[in-house]
Amino acid sequence: MPSFDPDTIRCDFPILERLIYLDNAATSLSPRQVIEAQVTAEYNYRANVGRGIHRLSRMATHQYQEARETLKKFLGGEHGTLSFTKNTTESANIVAQGIHWKKTDRIVTVLQDHHSNLLPWYRLKNDGLIEDIDAVTTVSGILDPAEIETCITRNTRLVALGHASNVFGTIAPVKEIADICKDKEVLLHIDGAQTAPHLPLELEKIGCDYFSFSGHKMLGPMGTGGLWISPDVSGDDVPVPLCAGGGMVQSVRGTTFATVDGPGRYEAGTPNVIGAIGLAEAAQYLTRLGMKNVADHSAALARRMIEGLAEIPGVRVYTPADAPLIGTVSFTVDGVHPHEVAYLLDEAAGIMVRSGEHCCQPLMHALCLNGGTVRASAYCYNTEDDVDLLIATTEEIAGMVK
Ligand code: PMP
């Protein structure tokens, strides 16, 4: 059983001595080990990868490929292809722009999802490359697989699904949805931005086709992330690379060229080698903590937040208490703008939370929440004390408007 003790974990994040960090759904902190792995790489084997024969180049190439294997193992996707990207947004766009769409194709999206898992698909419709989008209109945070199934038509080519809502913090039943997609021969793209940091993942068991994630939300460096593609994806469903250039090419003859097979296809140009090494260290750090421990801890803190906040007069909690959760809770305080609540939480108690629309305008419009919500999101280094201080300070803020 991997060891899990938030008080010990906190020692790896010195900034936590000075403040309470509850903005992990936006970006997590990075532990000492991740920063040191990058510094070590910078000092000892900073070189380009896959291009040189000298010692530094070979060392960098080896570490970069090792990082890829570490990430594949972390995601439970050893047989798939894992390309390093900048973030979830880039990964989703590689899929959206790379698939050879037919004008009759339709895509199913979920209204409550993040812009980064909506706009890449909406754009295809706006550019006339597909027939239309069929949107699941759920705005409660709880997604019933039957709602996806109802939206799938004869022409549906792909379902774009958020694994966990970055507003509600609820986890979608991806396995059931993947089974429906398999049954109906529809592709499944999962936006894993909010689940790669929190859940033990088994992508091959889930049975999705594409999985996008970001490193900066899972203790890794900014500007890192990945796109995993299932080994079952073939033919026109294998995205054509968005970028062409050095590193992704097998041969060039005249003006024609053939791309390499495998992950390098989507990594044209010099990749973020040091970032990939840092991201792999983050995955190893999380593996040492045990992803089941991380998941249980974050969910327990979310439930504590819901219970405490829901009791405060004037506070509305939007995260459903009885759903599977990742650690994120959205709420509003009557009479106080979410940005003001966030500002006051910081000023009064040094608590960092996010406020606003959370890149989910369609959801916020449907809920008629013009200012959005306040979002507190816990992770492995947060404690019950952090949550209790959030609740007590929110109570003071709510009390000010009586
Ligand atoms: N999807 C979800 C569910 C997210 O929460 C986020 C980040 N807030 C993204 C996609 C986009 O991630 P990134 O900005 O790292 O590309």
Side-chain angles (χ1 to χ4, degrees):
M1 181 82 169
S3 61
F4 187 88
D5 171 27
D7 287 329
T8 312
I9 297 169
R10 290 169 73 80
C11 299
D12 296 329
F13 300 83
I15 199 171
L16 293 175
E17 286 166 19
R18 309 202 297 274
L19 48 81
I20 314 278
Y21 193 76
L22 284 170
D23 192 17
N24 295 287
T27 290
S28 71
L29 302 174
S30 240
R32 196 171 36 78
Q33 291 83 341
V34 169
I35 294 159
E36 281 168 5
Q38 293 173 82
V39 171
T40 302
E42 286 283 2
Y43 278 135
N44 297 295
Y45 45 90
R46 181 188 162 96
N48 219 316
V49 289
R51 288 154 168 81
I53 297 303
H54 63 73
R55 170 176 359 160
L56 290 191
S57 183
R58 279 184 282 133
M59 276 167 84
T61 302
H62 176 73
Q63 294 295 330
Y64 186 64
Q65 298 309 352
E66 284 287 300
R68 199 190 298 289
E69 294 312 310
T70 301
L71 263 300
K72 280 166 74 168
K73 197 160 170 225
F74 178 76
L75 298 171
E78 274 102 332
H79 299 100
T81 305
L82 190 278
S83 302
F84 286 112
T85 64
K86 285 208 301 278
N87 49 40
T88 304
T89 308
E90 186 188 17
S91 302
N93 276 279
I94 289 173
V95 179
Q97 292 297 309
I99 290 181
H100 190 73
W101 301 100
K102 294 195 287 297
K103 285 246 185 326
T104 49
D105 286 339
R106 300 178 76 91
I107 294 175
V108 172
T109 59
V110 181
L111 196 75
Q112 67 188 18
D113 275 352
H114 191 280
H115 293 163
S116 291
N117 193 35
L118 293 178
L119 308 195
W121 320 110
Y122 288 0
R123 189 176 176 187
L124 297 172
K125 143 95 174 131
N126 297 343
D127 291 349
L129 296 174
I130 59 166
E131 189 176 81
D132 213 347
I133 299 287
D134 295 296
V136 174
T137 52
T138 304
V139 290
S140 63
I142 298 176
L143 188 61
D144 180 351
E147 292 173 285
I148 299 267
E149 192 163 13
T150 312
C151 281
I152 294 177
T153 67
R154 210 162 36 89
N155 286 343
T156 304
R157 174 94 176 267
L158 178 136
V159 169
L161 174 72
H163 197 170
S165 159
N166 63 308
V167 172
F168 297 107
T170 45
I171 302 167
V174 283
K175 175 68 185 137
E176 287 89 327
I177 294 167
D179 288 348
I180 292 169
C181 290
K182 276 262 161 341
D183 191 44
K184 306 223 174 243
E185 296 184 6
V186 168
L187 296 166
L188 176 62
H189 170 260
I190 296 182
D191 169 353
Q194 293 296 337
T195 49
H198 287 283
L199 302 185
L201 289 172
E202 297 268 13
L203 295 188
E204 279 164 25
K205 287 204 182 133
I206 291 172
C208 61
D209 297 288
Y210 315 97
F211 184 87
S212 302
F213 67 100
S214 299
H216 67 97
K217 293 181 198 281
M218 50 172 282
L219 309 181
M222 294 277 187
T224 65
L227 169 64
W228 180 86
I229 302 181
S230 158
D232 298 339
V233 173
S234 62
D236 277 354
D237 299 333
V238 178
V240 172
L242 203 58
C243 276
M248 53 76 81
V249 79
Q250 182 78 54
S251 62
V252 191
R253 298 288 178 271
T255 56
T256 57
F257 61 90
T259 60
V260 292
D261 289 330
R265 238 167 106 77
Y266 306 107
E267 296 176 354
T270 301
N272 183 356
V273 179
I274 305 286
I277 290 165
L279 178 53
E281 182 57 40
Q284 275 165 342
Y285 186 97
L286 287 166
T287 303
R288 286 194 295 275
L289 297 185
M291 286 308 283
K292 168 92 172 65
N293 296 332
V294 173
D296 291 348
H297 179 71
S298 308
L301 292 182
R303 286 184 210 297
R304 193 177 181 95
M305 280 194 257
I306 295 172
E307 271 169 33
L309 291 168
E311 278 184 11
I312 305 171
V315 171
R316 290 165 210 258
V317 178
Y318 297 89
T319 299
D322 50 355
L325 299 175
I326 51 162
T328 295
V329 173
S330 259
F331 63 97
T332 52
V333 178
D334 286 351
V336 193
H337 192 283
H339 287 332
E340 208 176 337
V341 176
Y343 178 78
L344 291 170
L345 284 170
D346 181 6
E347 285 297 297
I351 300 172
M352 313 293 132
V353 295
R354 171 89 184 261
S355 53
E357 294 171 326
H358 315 296
C359 296
C360 287
Q361 282 187 17
L363 169 66
M364 294 302 158
H365 287 168
L367 294 175
C368 299
L369 287 170
N370 291 336
T373 68
V374 184
R375 182 184 71 185
S377 46
Y379 205 8
C380 51
Y381 37 70
N382 291 114
T383 60
E384 292 185 348
D385 286 349
D386 292 349
V387 168
D388 293 348
L389 188 61
L390 170 83
I391 295 164
T393 315
T394 304
E395 191 164 14
E396 279 173 32
I397 295 168
M400 285 168 14
V401 286
K402 268 188 196 146

